[in-house]
Amino acid sequence: MKVNAAVRTAPQTTEFREYDMPDIPDEAALLKVEVAGICGTDVKFYSKPPFPGPVVMGHENIGYIAKAGKVFQDRRGLKEGDLVFVEHYVGCMNCEHCHRGDYRLCMFTDWRKFPEGLRFGYTLAERAPHLFGGFAEYMYLPWNSVIHKLPNGLNPEIAGVVTPMANGIQWALFDCRVGYDSKVLIQGPGQQGLCNTVASHQAGASLIIVTGTSKDKKRLEVAKKLGADYTIIVDEEDPLERIMEITNGEGVDVSLDCTAGAGTIPTLLGVEALKRKGGTLQFQGEDVPEFPNFPMGKIANKYITIKAARGHNYESCELGLKQLNSDRYPFELMTTHRFGLKDVHNAINAVGGSGDCIHVSLLPWE
Ligand SMILES: [Zn+2]
Ligand SMILES: [Zn+2]
């Protein structure tokens, strides 16, 4: 039997390939992919692959255990037919980070520096048994895959939002300590920004401001339904002026950068928008290798804590799934688009396109 897979072979290029159905050893399993979520990282790497060579993309994967080895079943308490979320990090399970549930920090998942490492959606498809990404009918789950069983009743398409939801919990709550009465600025109303909005609101933030551009009007409307108190359109009004007006000149406790690619702008706005002393600034820096006018003096004077955004840990995934399974927030407003496997090219580009698109589900069997 053969497995159909969409393979990125060059920038903006997908080829469809058939791979042999892999043999499943005792300690491994096979996932029948139900939903592969697509995020801004896919948009970036589809246009600019981080390294040459074919890759089955898809790193936010929900599916059914289709086949499970005996040892896998005994160790995991999972059986064939179970609906699960598979994290894209595949840790060594032996280092300090893995033991703490911080697989994302494990050397083994760092495909940039450690080519032997494994990561769903990033690993080269040349490597047997080839099925290491969710843009395919099946995915191979080695012994060290990190798997979360879905709570009963959670719809797979909503569950497909778990990666940004886990990021929201990790960044806002665990890293930046948003909690009761926090005042939070969230820059960018895409899936990451919206999930940070939900996490902040659920945690008790008393003020949530979400920024976007004039292309993001629909996303900003959704932000309000998910807990934002104010939205600011940064190319129509002065964001700092508005933030100071809203906070009576006090500023915010936490600034979160969820813009995915706005360069140094969100960092600079965040530094200004934070309260007089002791705020926390989270940033995404990988696309900004240098920052010549980094406001060191102001950061020191304002006693700002800086946190880099770096994925999610085990606990934030578990909490993310619970959050998605609660009826507190209308997550169905986020799952705006769905595509079949043949449309993967359009599906990825839809995420990077108009502001009407929030979360895209790729359904390999549709
Ligand atoms: Zn992602
Ligand atoms: Zn490790």
Side-chain angles (χ1 to χ4, degrees):
M1 200 186 150
K2 298 285 186 187
V3 179
N4 287 312
V7 185
R8 181 191 74 216
T9 52
Q12 284 283 332
T13 309
T14 294
E15 275 177 27
F16 293 92
R17 292 188 184 167
E18 283 189 335
Y19 293 102
D20 288 333
M21 183 65 92
D23 290 330
I24 301 301
D26 262 358
E27 75 283 0
L30 185 75
L31 184 82
K32 183 179 185 220
V33 182
E34 187 69 15
V35 175
I38 301 179
C39 82
T41 306
D42 296 304
V43 177
K44 184 166 79 180
F45 289 155
Y46 191 50
S47 285
K48 280 188 201 156
F51 42 76
V55 170
V56 180
M57 295 173 67
H59 62 276
E60 305 187 354
N61 302 309
I62 306 289
Y64 292 94
I65 301 286
K67 219 183 265 181
K70 168 105 182 55
V71 176
F72 176 94
Q73 295 191 39
D74 291 348
R75 279 192 191 149
R76 305 301 189 98
L78 290 168
K79 56 185 188 316
E80 292 173 7
D82 282 346
L83 185 56
V84 298
F85 160 54
V86 182
E87 292 192 42
H88 56 289
Y89 312 114
V90 185
C92 75
M93 299 302 152
N94 215 13
C95 71
E96 58 166 313
H97 305 297
C98 283
H99 280 300
R100 221 176 24 223
D102 285 327
Y103 319 104
R104 70 195 187 288
L105 309 177
C106 173
M107 189 61 176
F108 200 71
T109 71
D110 195 343
W111 47 264
R112 287 182 179 90
K113 297 201 182 84
F114 188 63
E116 303 304 301
L118 191 62
R119 187 140 154 185
F120 292 117
Y122 299 85
T123 299
L124 287 174
E126 283 141 354
R127 179 156 156 183
H130 317 293
L131 301 170
F132 292 116
F135 298 171
E137 292 170 329
Y138 290 95
M139 216 167 77
Y140 178 77
L141 305 180
W143 69 274
N144 47 347
S145 314
V146 182
I147 302 168
H148 301 261
K149 191 163 188 249
L150 259 55
N152 283 337
L154 178 55
N155 161 318
E157 207 173 332
I158 299 289
V161 182
V162 65
T163 303
M165 193 61 242
N167 288 343
I169 290 164
Q170 181 76 44
W171 303 349
L173 271 49
F174 294 169
D175 292 343
C176 296
R177 307 257 163 198
V178 168
Y180 205 68
D181 198 31
S182 295
K183 294 171 182 61
V184 188
L185 168 65
I186 296 168
Q187 303 190 53
Q191 36 185 293
Q192 310 295 340
L194 294 174
C195 287
N196 273 275
T197 301
V198 169
S200 300
H201 189 263
Q202 170 76 36
S206 54
L207 175 71
I208 300 172
I209 305 170
V210 179
T211 68
T213 68
S214 45
K215 280 197 320 201
D216 292 320
K217 285 188 174 149
K218 187 176 168 205
R219 291 172 176 170
L220 291 169
E221 273 169 38
V222 173
K224 285 219 165 157
K225 298 198 171 104
L226 294 175
D229 300 289
Y230 295 90
T231 59
I232 300 174
I233 298 173
V234 296
D235 47 358
E236 288 179 4
E237 48 198 335
D238 181 332
L240 184 59
E241 212 169 89
R242 284 276 289 134
I243 292 161
M244 288 306 161
E245 205 176 276
I246 293 165
T247 61
N248 294 318
E250 301 267 314
V252 296
D253 298 295
V254 172
S255 167
L256 296 154
D257 176 4
C258 300
T259 58
T264 59
I265 297 168
T267 301
L268 292 169
L269 177 62
V271 169
E272 296 297 329
L274 285 174
K275 61 186 180 183
R276 200 180 68 83
K277 300 276 181 201
T280 301
L281 175 85
Q282 174 261 28
F283 79 104
Q284 315 245 10
E286 280 185 334
D287 299 325
V288 188
E290 284 175 41
F291 199 155
N293 296 313
F294 192 66
M296 287 278 280
K298 193 161 254 174
I299 288 166
N301 180 269
K302 291 182 83 171
Y303 189 44
I304 290 172
T305 299
I306 298 184
K307 293 277 182 177
R310 178 109 328 272
H312 47 261
N313 69 8
Y314 187 87
E315 191 187 3
S316 49
C317 291
E318 286 288 307
L319 293 173
L321 287 168
K322 279 189 193 165
Q323 183 72 75
L324 293 170
N325 199 34
S326 78
D327 288 329
R328 284 207 153 166
Y329 298 91
F331 287 107
E332 65 281 1
L333 298 177
M334 284 185 64
T335 49
T336 53
H337 291 62
R338 34 163 52 203
F339 294 86
L341 189 62
K342 289 273 166 274
D343 282 328
V344 66
H345 173 87
N346 295 333
I348 299 170
N349 286 322
V351 177
S354 90
D356 287 354
C357 177
I358 298 174
H359 188 267
V360 169
S361 305
L362 190 84
L363 306 154
W365 295 89
E366 273 212 352

